[in-house]
Amino acid sequence: MEDESSRIEAEVQKRLAAALAQQQETFAAMMEQTMKNALGGIDQGTAALEKERKRIEIELDAAQALRSKAEREGEKMAAESFEKHRREYEEAIRTALLRDLSRLHIESAKTTPDIMKWLDVDRTFVERIREVVNRVDKFHSKDSPAPKLEGNPKLRFVDEGRSGVIYFESRVGSFDMWWEMGYGALAIVAVPSSNEWELKTGMPREKRLEVLNFIGEEIIRRQTSNGSFIIGDDVITIYSE
């Protein structure tokens, strides 16, 4: 009986050892597959991150290209705008300088002939500056009465930031004027020259100065708290006192 029991015990231990070995092999295989899956996930995640990085780089490059294009086009537009209005800019700058010098001489009680000689300007220019000096306080308030002019004229302002358009509208004639923030002045307003006046406005040439004085006074009255203006060949220069 003991021999039989020993034989059975040995067989049980053998089968148990075989079962354990099988389980260990199965477990090892499962662990290996799990590791492979994990490593594969890491590789996939790394690949996805790399793909996203490249996509972002492409978008950044595109954004930079658009920015560079916008800067180039902005510089081109600024240059074109300057060239388009070069004459008005140059006249406004020259007028501003002569205006300031004339005003200093006038306030120092210098005579008109002396100022004409020193600055190489004509009598009309000096007398206009004298008018400016005399009327600086005239339009001190927005509540001042509107200047009078034939045809019940009105000014309509369109603001586009640092520039825009002013529309003169009346029963006897209408026209528009480009304006921009000035250099050494509050603003410059492009107006039809004497030669262009009748064609562009539909009004007689002899009315030009009267109409432009109305426009300058109305701009001062409505757009500044205290200012003055000078009428040039093809611009009105607005100053804030």
Side-chain angles (χ1 to χ4, degrees), residues 7-34:
R7 186 179 65 78
I8 293 174
E9 179 66 22
E11 186 64 25
V12 170
Q13 291 297 327
K14 179 181 177 181
R15 293 185 178 185
L16 181 59
L20 289 173
Q22 182 63 40
Q23 289 181 357
Q24 289 176 349
E25 289 180 5
T26 301
F27 181 75
M30 291 175 60
M31 288 296 295
E32 182 179 1
Q33 187 61 44
T34 300

Side-chain angles (χ1 to χ4, degrees), residues 52-80:
E52 182 68 10
R53 183 184 67 80
K54 290 181 178 179
R55 184 187 67 80
I56 292 173
E57 285 182 351
I58 292 172
E59 289 184 356
L60 288 174
D61 289 343
Q64 183 62 39
L66 286 174
R67 177 181 177 182
S68 298
K69 180 181 179 182
E71 290 175 349
R72 290 194 304 271
E73 292 182 351
E75 291 173 359
K76 180 180 178 182
M77 290 173 63
E80 289 176 350

Side-chain angles (χ1 to χ4, degrees), residues 201-212:
T201 69
M203 292 180 282
R205 186 178 301 180
E206 57 267 22
K207 291 288 185 179
R208 179 175 183 270
L209 187 58
E210 182 182 2
V211 171
L212 295 185

Side-chain angles (χ1 to χ4, degrees), residues 67 87 107 132 145 150 154 159 161 174 184 193 198 200 213-214:
R67 177 181 177 182
R87 185 177 65 176
E107 291 175 346
V132 169
E150 178 188 3
K154 296 179 181 179
D159 188 349
S174 300
S193 67
E198 292 184 355
K200 289 191 173 182
N213 271 317
F214 166 85

Side-chain angles (χ1 to χ4, degrees), residues 80-94:
E80 289 176 350
S81 176
F82 178 82
E83 288 301 322
K84 180 179 179 181
H85 301 291
R86 176 187 289 273
R87 185 177 65 176
E88 289 90 345
Y89 291 142
E90 290 176 347
E91 182 183 345
I93 293 170
R94 175 180 176 276

Side-chain angles (χ1 to χ4, degrees), residues 175-206:
F175 61 98
D176 59 80
M177 299 160 282
W178 162 85
W179 69 266
E180 186 172 65
M181 300 296 288
Y183 299 88
L186 179 62
I188 57 174
V189 182
V191 298
S193 67
S194 180
N195 293 334
E196 303 169 324
W197 181 260
E198 292 184 355
L199 178 62
K200 289 191 173 182
T201 69
M203 292 180 282
R205 186 178 301 180
E206 57 267 22

